[in-house]
Every structure is written in C-alpha cells, then in structure tokens.
Amino acid sequence: MKTYKIALIKGDGIGPEIIDEAVKVLDAVASCCDIEFSYEEALMGGCAYDITGDPLPQETINISLNSDAVLFGAIGGEKWDNLPREKRPESGLLRFRKELGVYANLRPAVVYDELVNASSLKAEVVKGVDLMVVRELIGGIYFGEPKGRDENRGWNTMVYTRDEIVRIAHQAFKIAMTRSKRVCSVDKANVLDVSQLWRDVVIDVSKEYPEIELSHMYVDNAAMQLIRDPRQFDVILTGNIFGDILSDEASMLSGSIGLLPSASVGAKIGVYEPIHGSAPDIAGQGIANPIATISSASMMLRYALGEDNAADKIDAAVKRALKEGYRTKDLAQYDAKEVCSTSEMGSIIANYAAK
Ligand code: NAD
C-alpha cells in the first residue's frame, strides 16, 4: 500500500469547512484504491498572522516542501484588510507560490449537464463545455522589470524568456495528450514582440507532440469566442495576465464559483485549491459548497500522485451527487431534489466515491 504525505492548509473563513470535506472524500477513496494519506496541517493567511505575526510562517513552507502535494483551502478576510501589505494574507499566498516555484496554473471549466441552467449563458451554448486553461503564473507583466510610477506616469514590463515559455508549453501539451489533444495558444502577437516570441516558441515545442492539433488566437478574439462558442476549446495555453482574465471568464461558464477547482504546479510541489476565496459572508454556517475543493483533491490525485483511478472515482461521485439532485445552498434553485449542508454534501460524495 502506498502512503502519500499531504500538507493541509485550511486557512481562513470557509477554508477549514471545505478542506474537512475533501479529506473525508480522500479517505473514502483511499480505502478502495489501496492507498493511504498522512496529513500534516500548516498555517497560512490571517490565522497564521494572528498566531505567529506572519501570514506565511517558514514552517508552512518546510512542511509543504516535505510533502507530496499541498491541499489548500482559502485565506483572507476583512479583519486583516488594513494590515501593512506584507503582513496581509494575500501577500503570504503570492510568496508561497513563488517559494514553491509553481509556474503553471491549471483551471478546468466543466459544465455539468445537471447545472446547465445555472450558467449565465444559454444552455445550448454551454452544454458539454469541458476545457482547461493553462496559465503561466510567475512571469510576464506581473513580475517584469522595470516597473514603477511617478506622479504622471506608471509603467510595467511584459517579458518572457524562451525557457519560461518552453516549460509552460510542455505542461499544456502534456495535459492535452490526456484529453482531446487540442491546444489553442492565446497571445497578442499582432501587437506585442513578447507575444511573437511566445508564438514562435510554442510552435517549436509543439514539434515534440506531433499528435497535438495546435492553433493560435489573439486574446481579444479569445475573450469573445469563450462566450460565443466555448465548446470549441479544449486546452487554452496562455501567459500570466491573459490567463488571469480568461480563466475568470471561463469559470463563469459553469454557474457557481463553488464548483471550480485549480492546480498550481511546477518543478517541486503542486498546490491544489478551489478558485474561490474564503467567503467570510457564509463562514461557519455550514452552507459552503465543498465541490470545488473536493475536485481540487481529485486534480491532486491525477496530476501530483498519478492516481488516476482514484481521481476518476471522485469525479464520478461528484457527477452522481449532482445528477441525483443534491445541492448546497448556492445551487438550490437549480433542480434541487434535496438541499444539503457542506458536511452532508461531503458525506454523500465520499459514500459514492468509496463504491
Ligand atoms: P470569495 O470567492 O471568497 O466570495 C465571493 C462570493 O462567492 C461570496 O458571496 C461567497 O459567499 C461566494 N462563495 C465563494 N465560495 C463559495 C463556496 N464554496 N460555496 C458557496 N458560495 C461561495 O471572494 P471575495 O468575497 O471577493 O473574497 C473574500 C476573501 O477571500 C478576501 O479576503 C479575498 O482576498 C480572499 N480571497 C482568497 C483567495 C485564495 O485564498 N486563493 C482567492 C480569492 C479571494
């Protein structure tokens, strides 16, 4: 039997509630896949600041680097909003990603058949959507130098090196090989030199993946096509700022922020987390949707641990729970047979996953 070490960072707000449900599901699936998990909890965010004076204690980095993967809840809340920038929970998270070297952010957007009416787009446009945005996470304009401002000017620099583009392109092509083998690389090569390099390098890397069908799209067109006909996409490969915007746009296709998982991966340890925040407005009420975090645990099994069978069981269990009409409060108006609490939803999915 294989044992995996998982660092658990529950964080603030609904973080502890949703991580507890993901752990419930992981343990259920472990029992039938001949694997087991040993968990070590680590502090990050406002709760870490309250106890240690630092939103990202060194011990959290050590525990994470010493594990096979990190399962992360969410951080932040009004209580810490007025702290100096470097003490704020969000600064801890950015530093954490940099320390772990997670350069690729993977964000699937799946529209479940049972929830097509929850999308703000028409059902016939979103039915069957299943795409993945692969976003470069630690380069591009958010990190480029020089940057600065004076009274009358502000400036940032979008810079990518060949190596940075090569590694994210490999990531996208490898993921596409496990899906329907189509990659659309999104850039602004008609205007930006950095995008021309991006496009040339992506084409070079694609030669190592002859089975992949590669296409290119300008970012403004991609923003429009995601709304016009999202089913045309499988894997979208893009840089940091374009990916930030497009992945949020794609996430809305599915209807609720409480459904969407993500993975941030790199050369070392991957971080698996829901795309939503700590939702302080509903924390402690037992109404948060745990599915985004449970699906993040499934991504962890697939991408960090290579346990595809266990991941498939979790994905099927989530689909079954939705198909049978179980809904948390955020989705209660969409064909609910039974509205359940965070913990009830976790137990239902765990029960199905164990079969
Ligand atoms: P949020 O994602 O926490 O909440 C936005 C809305 O979605 C809220 O109405 C919330 O109740 C709802 N929601 C979110 N997750 C849900 C779930 N699982 N089930 C049901 N409803 C859910 O965004 P926000 O309100 O802008 O931010 C709150 C705090 O979270 C802030 O401090 C922010 O900085 C932080 N934040 C953290 C992360 C992270 O930890 N990765 C990401 C985004 C925001």
Side-chain angles (χ1 to χ4, degrees), residues 114-115 319-329 331-341 344-345 348 352:
E114 296 68 30
L115 294 175
K319 277 197 186 119
R320 183 169 165 199
L322 293 172
K323 192 168 182 176
E324 296 198 356
Y326 294 107
R327 304 277 187 271
T328 39
K329 198 176 165 205
L331 293 169
Q333 69 271 43
Y334 302 107
D335 305 318
K337 200 184 76 190
E338 194 176 321
V339 177
C340 42
S341 68
E344 284 162 351
M345 182 59 108
I348 290 160
Y352 291 160

Side-chain angles (χ1 to χ4, degrees), residues 73-267:
I75 48 97
E78 230 173 71
K79 180 179 170 196
W80 304 283
D81 277 353
N82 294 322
L83 290 172
R85 183 167 291 280
E86 72 283 2
K87 297 284 182 198
R88 289 183 52 176
E90 293 77 6
S91 305
L93 182 55
L94 287 184
R95 204 153 39 92
F96 185 62
R97 289 175 178 156
K98 198 84 184 165
E99 289 274 353
L100 265 60
V102 286
Y103 61 80
N105 184 235
L106 321 182
R107 276 225 208 159
V110 175
V111 175
Y112 295 104
D113 282 354
E114 296 68 30
L115 294 175
V116 282
N117 294 321
S119 174
S120 50
L121 296 187
K122 289 188 192 120
E124 65 261 32
V125 174
V126 294
K127 191 171 188 327
V129 163
D130 180 359
L131 61 85
M132 170 88 83
V133 180
V134 178
R135 165 191 169 195
E136 202 289 328
L137 198 58
I138 56 175
I141 198 165
Y142 293 165
F143 293 91
E145 297 284 350
K147 64 180 175 196
R149 60 160 292 175
D150 58 28
E151 203 168 312
N152 298 312
R153 264 182 0 122
W155 59 94
N156 291 86
T157 306
M158 191 192 277
V159 55
Y160 270 115
T161 64
R162 178 173 289 275
D163 287 351
E164 285 173 327
I165 304 167
V166 165
R167 66 184 183 183
I168 189 77
H170 275 298
Q171 193 66 247
F173 288 126
K174 282 186 184 140
I175 286 168
M177 288 300 289
T178 68
R179 299 170 52 97
S180 69
K181 300 194 173 75
R182 286 181 297 122
V183 172
C184 178
S185 173
V186 172
D187 60 37
K188 191 69 184 168
N190 50 344
V191 176
L192 301 175
D193 292 323
V194 58
S195 281
Q196 287 166 8
L197 176 73
W198 177 280
R199 195 174 277 216
D200 290 347
V201 175
V202 169
I203 290 170
D204 281 351
V205 176
S206 74
K207 292 178 184 145
E208 295 179 42
Y209 302 86
E211 285 175 64
I212 297 280
E213 183 191 318
L214 173 65
S215 60
H216 304 273
M217 199 178 274
Y218 299 135
V219 63
D220 39 351
N221 186 26
M224 183 186 74
Q225 295 295 337
L226 262 176
I227 298 298
R228 194 187 71 82
D229 176 20
R231 275 188 301 252
Q232 70 184 283
F233 296 107
D234 182 29
V235 171
I236 294 175
L237 160 64
T238 192
N240 203 343
I241 188 169
F242 300 155
D244 193 3
I245 298 162
L246 293 181
S247 59
D248 265 25
E249 187 187 353
S251 71
M252 274 301 94
L253 300 170
S254 82
S256 170
I257 197 168
L259 292 171
L260 294 161
S262 80
S264 300
V265 301

Side-chain angles (χ1 to χ4, degrees), residues 14 18 72-77 81 90 93 97 257-258 273 275-282 287-289 330:
I14 60 171
I18 53 181
F72 182 89
I75 48 97
D81 277 353
E90 293 77 6
L93 182 55
R97 289 175 178 156
I257 197 168
E273 57 180 308
I275 71 158
H276 58 72
S278 58
D281 53 331
I282 57 167
I287 57 172
N289 189 339
D330 50 318

Side-chain angles (χ1 to χ4, degrees), residues 71 73 259 342:
L71 190 60
L259 292 171
T342 308

